[in-house]
Amino acid sequence: MAIAVAVFSSLLLCSVFSLGDALSSNYYDKTCPSVEDIVTNVVKEAFTEDKTVPAALLRLHFHDCFIRGCDASVLLDKFGNSKVEKSGPPNLSLHAFFVIDNAKKAVEAACPGVVSCADILALAARDAVVLAGGPTWYVPKGRKDGRTSLASETRQLPAPTFNLSQLQQSFSQRGLNLGDLVALSGGHSLGFSHCSSFQNRLHNFDTTHDVDPSINPSFAASLKRVCPAHSQVKNAGSNMDPSPTMFDNTYYKLILQGKSLFSSDQTLLTSPSTKKLVYQYAGSKKAFYEAFAKSMIKMSSITGGQEVRKNCRVVN
Ligand code: HEM
Ligand SMILES: *[C@@H]1O[C@H](CO)[C@@H](O)[C@H](O)[C@H]1NC(C)=O
Ligand SMILES: *[C@@H]1O[C@H](CO)[C@@H](O)[C@H](O)[C@H]1NC(C)=O
């Protein structure tokens, strides 16, 4: 039964997603040659005001691509009674929507009706990583925006409690392999997490352990101080790493010390092939940057939409 469900859901996803159809890095060369500069300038401006903008943009792009392909479905506001992705459960720390609004406005002023919101988000995520000190890459363009966004579909996102086989399944349904999983997880070099995302590791972890034994004990103790059981403190949590606004390979070094936040991070050590990559990226920022850029292009090439939205928050 479980196998039947898994096969069925992967067939379903295959029909919804396609990898890289008709995207190209010179897609707007004739119709909107300044699009990259315009987006870069808007992201830069936002970054000057708020150093948490890169983390937000990167996570938005990831969430976008994992549901219905990179089609800007994550940007839609609720219409009528419909609950959209943005109001679905893993919505904590989804922010910086205003940056995409500003970029879209500026792009529309230069080349109306041409550039999709999904492309703007893909460009903004790349610019975000660069501003945070990370690698750059050519963003393939030509995505279309979708007309559907459903809160219920946020269940398709991988959860921070996932083990390696669950993560592998989630990624492979989208044409991404274990190498992509290890490289893209390095996105957790940036940003912040709320207690709820790693609380499972700190209290009543399993029948024999209160605390996840794979966490470094002193790190677990410090997390427990910030995130006590049944805490009602809103917005309590932890930075992903000690340099949450700098994109670097610290994430992998922390995994090796048992100091990553999520089970889904720590579980990268549970197979020989993924463990080897964690060691490699912990030892070489350059190797990580190259792998991250390659896998970002792969992830951001999952397409799914139909139109070029006029306003990123509403369908045409
Ligand atoms: C491998 C599966 C993944 C899981 C289970 C996962 C889970 C999470 C969770 C639970 C949070 C914290 C939300 C909160 O409590 O506020 C988070 C934050 C974040 N994730 Fe992931 N994530 C995954 C993959 C990715 C990927 C592929 C990227 C980008 C390449 C990414 C980028 C981020 C960023 C930048 C943040 C911080 C957001 C902020 O501070 O605004 N994640 N992730
Ligand atoms: C986020 O998701 C939770 C759980 O579904 C929901 O109660 C909350 O209203 C959502 N937040 C936003 C801003 O939509
Ligand atoms: C991962 O979790 C799933 C679902 O809980 C479980 O069926 C599977 O056995 C787990 N895999 C490993 C390697 O622990």
Side-chain angles (χ1 to χ4, degrees):
M1 179 60 192
I3 291 174
V5 170
V7 169
F8 176 71
S9 66
S10 62
L11 284 176
L12 205 75
L13 285 161
C14 284
S15 62
V16 175
F17 298 119
S18 56
L19 260 180
D21 68 332
L23 300 186
S24 73
S25 37
N26 57 4
Y27 189 83
Y28 295 116
D29 278 8
K30 296 222 166 66
T31 53
C32 196
S34 54
V35 61
E36 300 232 358
D37 292 337
I38 296 173
V39 174
T40 302
N41 285 333
V42 171
V43 176
K44 245 185 212 162
E45 204 176 305
F47 174 70
T48 310
E49 297 288 312
D50 179 355
K51 298 290 181 274
T52 73
V53 158
L57 291 173
L58 182 59
R59 184 165 189 242
L60 274 183
H61 182 47
F62 159 59
H63 280 208
D64 186 28
C65 295
F66 263 56
I67 300 174
R68 298 182 166 268
C70 319
D71 69 341
S73 54
V74 72
L75 301 178
L76 289 172
D77 281 342
K78 90 193 260 291
F79 33 101
N81 296 325
S82 73
K83 283 195 98 189
V84 292
E85 286 170 33
K86 167 182 302 182
S87 49
N91 56 16
L92 293 168
S93 50
L94 287 181
H95 59 112
F97 292 99
F98 76 96
V99 182
I100 303 302
D101 292 336
N102 290 348
K104 177 67 170 173
K105 246 180 244 157
V107 169
E108 285 297 299
C111 3
V114 171
V115 181
S116 66
C117 297
D119 278 349
I120 290 176
L121 182 52
L123 288 169
R126 189 272 317 271
D127 293 338
V129 169
V130 173
L131 284 167
T136 191
W137 59 91
Y138 289 107
V139 177
K141 295 171 291 285
R143 294 167 195 76
K144 293 283 190 293
D145 300 324
R147 298 180 53 79
T148 307
S149 179
L150 299 169
S152 58
E153 290 184 344
T154 57
R155 266 179 306 184
Q156 296 169 8
L157 290 166
T161 51
F162 272 15
N163 64 29
L164 192 61
S165 42
Q166 293 170 303
L167 291 171
Q168 180 173 23
Q169 193 194 354
S170 167
F171 274 61
S172 71
Q173 284 168 342
R174 292 154 175 93
L176 302 170
N177 60 32
L178 281 179
D180 298 314
L181 168 66
V182 179
L184 292 171
S185 294
H188 290 165
S189 167
L190 291 179
F192 175 86
S193 170
H194 295 80
C195 293
S196 55
S197 302
F198 53 87
Q199 200 80 349
N200 71 301
R201 306 180 75 198
L202 303 178
H203 313 280
N204 293 315
F205 177 66
D206 63 21
T207 48
T208 44
H209 304 94
D210 184 41
V211 174
D212 181 345
S214 70
I215 311 187
N216 170 299
S218 64
F219 184 60
S222 71
L223 289 180
K224 281 182 105 158
R225 280 193 293 274
V226 191
C227 308
H230 317 297
S231 167
Q232 300 294 320
V233 182
K234 271 234 168 84
N235 293 324
S238 166
N239 288 327
M240 295 289 191
D241 76 14
S243 55
T245 60
M246 203 157 75
F247 191 92
D248 57 22
N249 63 340
T250 306
Y251 169 78
Y252 299 98
K253 298 180 188 171
L254 293 174
I255 292 179
L256 295 177
Q257 298 166 28
K259 294 181 180 172
S260 56
L261 287 183
F262 308 139
S263 300
S264 60
D265 300 319
Q266 205 60 44
T267 197
L268 299 179
L269 292 183
T270 58
S271 90
S273 71
T274 53
K275 184 175 180 173
K276 192 172 150 225
L277 291 170
V278 172
Y279 271 94
Q280 192 185 338
Y281 301 154
S284 166
K285 197 158 98 167
K286 184 167 176 280
F288 166 49
Y289 279 10
E290 284 170 12
F292 186 79
K294 242 173 87 184
S295 293
M296 280 299 288
I297 292 174
K298 236 170 122 179
M299 180 181 82
S300 84
S301 300
I302 311 168
T303 51
Q306 305 86 38
E307 65 183 25
V308 171
R309 240 175 253 159
K310 290 193 184 72
N311 172 342
C312 293
R313 291 174 181 269
V314 291
V315 298
N316 288 347

